[in-house]
Amino acid sequence: MSEDHRTLDRLSQDLDWNLLRTFMVIAQEGSITAAAARLYLTQPAVSLALKRLEDRLGRRLIERGAGAFRITPAGEILFHEVIDIYGAISRLGPLVRDVNDEISGHVRLLMASRIETRLLDHVLREFHRGHPQVTFRIDVMSSADVHVALQQRVGTLGICLLREPIPGLTSEVFVHQTYRLYCGPDHRLFGQRSIDVAELRHEDFVSFTSDQIDGVLSPLALFRAREGFAGRVVGSSTNLEEVRRLIVCGLGIGPLPEHIAARDVESGLLWQLPPPEGIAPVDVQIVWNPQGRFNRAEKAFLAAILSQIEDYEADARLPDLLPKPLPA
């Protein structure tokens, strides 16, 4: 690099804006005295600032002395450049003040199938009203796939089942739900009352692929093992809607979240089986990776969900919970 280039590089890093502004005012006023009055400085201070600028640039900018005052060609070039810089700096304040603080960005939600709660619907509705520029993508997948995706920082947050804490991920109970056993209208037990659990032990069974001792629905597997269920597992799926379909179609009895099955029970598509207290509580969790690089929209949405549940004890976070309105 040549000496001139090194000098210019240092100049771009070290040049003081106050020196440039002082030179601009001198050029506009046509004298050191008038510039000093406008800047509320002494004449020696203004003269010293001009000299320091000329020394930095290595160029004479103004010819002065014996009543003469003339801007040099180098000074003319610098003056026009400084005018542009001054205009840009003058616009900074209004530009910053006029910036709309509206949040924008993209939020990706990873969800287990058929998450039904008015709490989530409420947050989505109110968040969209408050931040209409934010876009969403919701991917439905198994809870295990949600865990892996969050570990890989693929999505913003997951709403899914979680058997136990996963290193590197943070979770919070979103809603409580209880799984119960049901059968469809074609099943021999449909409509029967006073059924004993022992009568179910040899019935064909429909369930979730994660209904395993080491799966996220291990409480269901533990129930079957404890009660001695020995019937064939004739159908399974990772998707709650498909498990529901298999039960309604009469392939076997099977577990569903109580609040999901409630409408089908009321309409005659499902019949609730014992035990009356249900099989097991299996909570839906909010899961996120605290090491993820969240954009403003992702941070705001996660905060919105957490703010909606923080005032409710875990036992009160029911699927049909209608939360308080989001703050304006």
Side-chain angles (χ1 to χ4, degrees), residues 193-261:
R193 304 181 186 278
S194 301
I195 304 171
D196 190 273
V197 174
E199 298 180 53
L200 309 178
R201 289 174 180 164
H202 297 286
E203 294 294 326
D204 288 344
F205 206 79
V206 170
S207 194
F208 298 84
T209 54
S210 54
D211 176 2
Q212 307 290 333
I213 295 298
D214 59 349
V216 294
L217 283 175
S218 58
L220 307 186
L222 291 172
F223 169 82
R224 288 192 291 123
R226 184 178 67 247
E227 296 296 332
F229 276 46
R232 295 182 306 148
V233 177
V234 297
S236 63
S237 176
T238 60
N239 188 287
L240 188 149
E241 189 58 45
E242 298 310 317
V243 172
R244 171 194 167 277
R245 185 198 308 276
L246 295 173
I247 298 172
V248 170
C249 290
L251 274 72
I253 65 174
L256 291 171
E258 179 182 24
H259 69 288
I260 297 293

Side-chain angles (χ1 to χ4, degrees), residues 276-287:
E277 69 276 10
I279 300 175
V282 181
D283 295 333
V284 175
Q285 305 266 350
I286 302 173
V287 188

Side-chain angles (χ1 to χ4, degrees), residues 82-95:
V82 173
I83 288 293
D84 290 339
I85 295 171
Y86 181 75
I89 292 176
S90 298
R91 290 193 300 273
L92 288 179
L95 284 173

Side-chain angles (χ1 to χ4, degrees), residues 28-263:
Q28 289 173 332
E29 295 296 330
S31 78
I32 299 292
T33 302
R38 177 174 161 185
L39 294 169
Y40 300 100
L41 299 172
T42 64
Q43 290 186 38
V46 173
S47 296
L48 179 61
L50 177 59
K51 184 178 185 306
R52 286 176 58 198
L53 181 60
E54 290 177 329
D55 291 343
R56 291 275 183 92
L57 293 173
R59 297 288 187 277
R60 189 80 166 173
L61 301 176
I62 296 177
E63 297 289 351
R64 55 200 183 277
F69 184 95
R70 185 181 68 83
I71 301 177
T72 67
E76 290 283 357
I77 292 173
L78 181 63
F79 175 74
H80 291 296
E81 292 297 323
V82 173
I83 288 293
D84 290 339
I85 295 171
Y86 181 75
I89 292 176
S90 298
R91 290 193 300 273
L92 288 179
L95 284 173
V96 172
R97 284 194 301 271
D98 291 340
V99 167
N100 191 334
D101 199 32
E102 185 174 13
I103 294 176
S104 62
H106 188 69
V107 176
R108 185 181 180 192
L109 301 180
L110 311 178
M111 295 177 58
S113 63
R114 198 75 182 273
I115 301 295
E116 289 191 11
T117 165
R118 286 192 287 170
L119 194 155
L120 176 59
D121 297 344
H122 176 79
V123 174
L124 282 169
R125 181 182 299 110
E126 295 301 315
F127 191 86
H128 176 67
R129 287 174 179 170
H131 310 293
Q133 298 304 312
V134 175
T135 57
F136 285 87
R137 169 176 168 177
I138 299 178
D139 291 328
V140 178
M141 56 185 70
S142 70
S143 292
D145 287 340
V146 172
H147 306 160
V148 172
L150 290 175
Q151 288 175 310
Q152 297 173 346
R153 305 181 187 180
V154 170
T156 303
L157 60 91
I159 301 179
C160 59
L161 305 180
L162 186 66
R163 182 169 62 92
E164 59 187 17
I166 297 176
L169 300 182
T170 301
S171 62
E172 177 67 50
V173 174
F174 188 32
V175 290
H176 269 312
Q177 59 180 7
T178 298
Y179 276 71
R180 298 184 182 277
L181 284 178
Y182 298 91
C183 66
D186 295 330
H187 196 277
R188 70 177 187 86
L189 296 175
F190 189 90
Q192 292 192 27
R193 304 181 186 278
S194 301
I195 304 171
D196 190 273
V197 174
E199 298 180 53
L200 309 178
R201 289 174 180 164
H202 297 286
E203 294 294 326
D204 288 344
F205 206 79
V206 170
S207 194
F208 298 84
T209 54
S210 54
D211 176 2
Q212 307 290 333
I213 295 298
D214 59 349
V216 294
L217 283 175
S218 58
L220 307 186
L222 291 172
F223 169 82
R224 288 192 291 123
R226 184 178 67 247
E227 296 296 332
F229 276 46
R232 295 182 306 148
V233 177
V234 297
S236 63
S237 176
T238 60
N239 188 287
L240 188 149
E241 189 58 45
E242 298 310 317
V243 172
R244 171 194 167 277
R245 185 198 308 276
L246 295 173
I247 298 172
V248 170
C249 290
L251 274 72
I253 65 174
L256 291 171
E258 179 182 24
H259 69 288
I260 297 293
R263 286 192 295 270

